[in-house]
Amino acid sequence: MSDAHLETPTPRDWKRDLKVAAAAFTFGLAMFGAAYAAVPLYDLFCRVTGFGGTTMRAERPADRVIDHPVDIRFDSNIGTGLPWRFQVDTTRHSIKAGETHTMTYKVTNLASVPVTGMATYNVAPAETGRYFNKLECFCFTEQTLAPGESREFTVVYFVDPAIAEDPSARTANTITLSYTFYRQNQTPKPVAQGAAPTAGSRTN
């Protein structure tokens, strides 16, 4: 083969390579930032929409009461490694949508040393979360109990009358509010015993 038929190699375009590398680096940073922001954004989304069984925080009671009965089931749980006893006054309330009610929980430290715990919660079925409003709650606040100490915590709540207008939620005759106390150094994961799982726990 003669030299006339040999192709001259094309010089490497370093500027183009640098642009590609810079674009890939920028894309990676953007993905990292999106992942970092995903948790707080998801949390905000859940609190605004009630998605995933997240309850709503209300500043005042409902402005009306309607003849829409709802059975509220209260679930109390203790995470592994927390030497506490956690009980609720009664496991059920039969209410009407719009009525304000109070439920009392009692915790006792069974250990011989002070122990700090924190409660998380969820609601099932998940589609009822946006209608379950809490005026007062003890969740997501560290509680330290002395050896043998008992303490009572209350939840003041109501079910938004708008639940009767939502086809996906109004057929839920029973709403389960589940609380789980975890030791301070444990990762919170609420468990609703006997209830459908939800997407997670949020503040309220």
Side-chain angles (χ1 to χ4, degrees):
M1 181 179 295
S2 64
D3 292 342
H5 292 86
L6 293 176
E7 296 183 358
T8 302
T10 302
R12 189 177 183 90
D13 190 344
W14 294 105
K15 290 184 178 180
R16 184 188 62 185
D17 291 349
L18 287 173
K19 288 181 179 179
V20 172
F25 181 73
T26 302
F27 179 78
L29 284 179
M31 291 300 97
F32 176 80
Y36 183 80
V39 172
L41 288 176
Y42 180 78
D43 180 71
L44 177 62
F45 170 76
C46 287
R47 280 191 279 172
V48 170
T49 64
F51 179 77
T54 303
T55 66
M56 308 302 285
R57 185 62 180 264
E59 299 298 328
R60 60 184 61 86
D63 57 3
R64 60 195 173 106
V65 176
I66 64 172
D67 189 19
H68 180 81
V70 184
D71 190 29
I72 308 297
R73 179 176 177 268
F74 299 92
D75 188 31
S76 56
N77 305 280
I78 291 292
T80 303
L82 181 62
W84 286 7
R85 182 171 58 242
F86 183 32
Q87 299 170 305
V88 62
D89 271 357
T90 180
T91 57
R92 290 183 181 273
H93 268 177
S94 293
I95 68 170
K96 291 182 179 180
E99 291 180 337
T100 298
H101 287 269
T102 299
M103 176 54 66
T104 301
Y105 287 82
K106 182 178 181 180
V107 293
T108 301
N109 181 11
L110 304 178
S112 57
V113 295
V115 178
T116 299
M118 184 177 70
T120 64
Y121 72 89
N122 64 8
V123 171
E127 57 268 21
T128 63
R130 69 176 66 188
Y131 301 107
F132 196 100
N133 288 262
K134 290 187 290 185
L135 295 164
E136 182 182 324
C137 180
F138 58 90
C139 52
F140 288 92
T141 301
E142 291 185 356
Q143 311 288 347
T144 300
L145 273 65
E149 180 184 359
S150 293
R151 196 178 299 171
E152 291 187 344
F153 300 103
T154 58
V155 178
V156 182
Y157 72 95
F158 66 89
V159 175
D160 192 330
I163 192 173
E165 302 165 10
D166 186 341
S168 65
R170 67 188 179 197
T171 57
N173 296 323
T174 299
I175 297 177
T176 298
L177 175 64
S178 177
Y179 280 96
T180 303
F181 259 109
Y182 290 89
R183 200 157 188 155
Q184 185 185 21
N185 60 354
Q186 289 182 293
T187 301
K189 276 190 179 180
V191 177
Q193 295 179 347
T198 67
S201 304
R202 310 287 165 208
T203 59
N204 257 23

